[in-house]
Amino acid sequence: MSNRSARLVLENGLEFTGQHFGATGERVGEVVFNTGMTGYQEVLTDPSYCGQIVTMTYPLIGNYGVNVDNIESRQPYVHGFVVRRLAAEPSHFKSLGNLDDYLRQHGILGISEIDTRQLTKAIRSDGTMKAVLTTENTPVNVLLDKLAQPLMTDQILRVTTPQTYRCPGEGRRVVAIDYGMKSGVVRSLLARRCDVIVVPATASTKEILAWKPEGVMLSNGPGDPLDAPYAIATVKELIQYGVPVFGICLGHQLIGLASGARTEKMRFGHRGANHPVKDLRTGKVYITSQNHGYMVSEDSLRGTDLILTHLNVNDRTVEGMMHRHRPVFCVQYHPEARPGPDDSDELFDEFMRMMDEVGEGRWTAHA
């Protein structure tokens, strides 16, 4: 870890000066916070964080190092990493190195030794903001001018797989559309012996159906779903076709938009591993892993063919839906976890049952 200083400047003028780690330079992004106590490597490699500067609220980060088991994608996609205290000498039997070196190798800027509590409170008060993380001596007024420019809107195209690939299995054929998919999604399908075909976010309905899937998985991903009209159009066609569809996170929002509902940007989003969600069908409450800054508006479900199935216990936001007439359901959170609890892993089993029922002609529409 170097002795070089770093600065984090928010668009509201709030400035933090701390110690640099990882790569050097200057990066602009949307500053957000994650409340997880562990799982920082999964956070770093979650493509849903593309374009964001992530603040960890837990005060000590890096204490168990980095390893090959906690990687969720090809590379880290965050634009910056903010921690209160960085552990320079990690201790864990799986550790292959420290967080400082890991971020440097992947060109990610980090800052430590700042008041992450103050930063989190600022985000909760003023909402998610643009910010710049820098190790340069750039004047603050110049940095604020940079923040006056719009942020990227093509995150999905930056993180999706460049070409189709197959993860073979002996069971049900599932096409997974990669909008920024975590590896945990594929692992959950493979654990159920699925034959998984992963396609790019831009794959057409014709290309998807050419694989003769028994089901389609809509993955998580970054950014505003309205920035992906191509994805909304494809999801709408898949729903009309009648193939079983299971959506998570961004996939959930795309199902909402494709069905006539509306999405909204949240004040500061849900990012962490302890969000309580109630299944309205059973009354059971699950502790869930979440990472999203947009949500489906509950009011906008009126007049659509979507039924509300899950609600967030804390703020009553929409966490799950199902289609009245088609074999389609979705959740806003991450049933594959990584990081977080496995409480909702059974949703993948629900997807398996839906595919079987449709294949055997036993599936019925919901009243």
Side-chain angles (χ1 to χ4, degrees), residues 8 21 23-32 43-55 75-82 103 106-111 131-134 151-155 158-159 222:
L8 178 70
F21 68 97
T24 58
E26 204 161 271
R27 295 295 293 273
V28 173
E30 183 181 54
V31 64
V32 300
V43 168
L44 289 167
T45 55
D46 181 349
S48 295
Y49 283 110
C50 179
Q52 296 180 325
I53 297 172
V54 180
T55 304
Q75 64 187 66
Y77 282 102
V78 301
H79 276 202
F81 203 48
V82 183
L103 292 191
H106 291 282
I108 307 297
L109 278 68
I111 183 172
V132 58
L133 180 57
T134 180
L151 295 175
M152 64 172 65
T153 58
D154 63 343
Q155 295 100 307
R158 291 172 182 252
V159 302

Side-chain angles (χ1 to χ4, degrees), residues 144-161:
L144 291 175
D145 286 342
K146 289 186 177 184
L147 294 179
Q149 304 301 314
L151 295 175
M152 64 172 65
T153 58
D154 63 343
Q155 295 100 307
I156 293 175
L157 299 180
R158 291 172 182 252
V159 302
T160 187
T161 177

Side-chain angles (χ1 to χ4, degrees), residues 18-89:
Q19 189 169 350
H20 149 262
F21 68 97
T24 58
E26 204 161 271
R27 295 295 293 273
V28 173
E30 183 181 54
V31 64
V32 300
F33 64 87
N34 183 292
T35 57
M37 296 176 65
T38 61
Y40 53 80
Q41 193 174 0
E42 292 95 324
V43 168
L44 289 167
T45 55
D46 181 349
S48 295
Y49 283 110
C50 179
Q52 296 180 325
I53 297 172
V54 180
T55 304
M56 300 300 292
T57 62
Y58 188 69
L60 179 63
I61 299 296
N63 51 313
Y64 54 86
V66 295
N67 61 61
V68 295
D69 294 333
N70 293 340
I71 297 174
E72 285 297 317
S73 64
R74 297 185 297 273
Q75 64 187 66
Y77 282 102
V78 301
H79 276 202
F81 203 48
V82 183
V83 304
R84 174 67 184 93
R85 182 69 50 81
L86 177 70
E89 299 180 2

Side-chain angles (χ1 to χ4, degrees), residues 257-277:
L257 291 169
S259 302
R262 186 179 67 254
T263 55
E264 300 175 0
K265 185 168 185 178
M266 304 173 73
R267 186 171 182 82
F268 48 80
H270 293 160
R271 298 176 180 88
N274 62 344
H275 292 265
V277 170

Side-chain angles (χ1 to χ4, degrees), residues 307-319:
I307 302 170
L308 178 67
T309 59
H310 296 71
L311 274 179
N312 189 289
V313 175
N314 289 334
D315 60 14
R316 306 289 293 177
T317 53
V318 174
E319 294 281 4

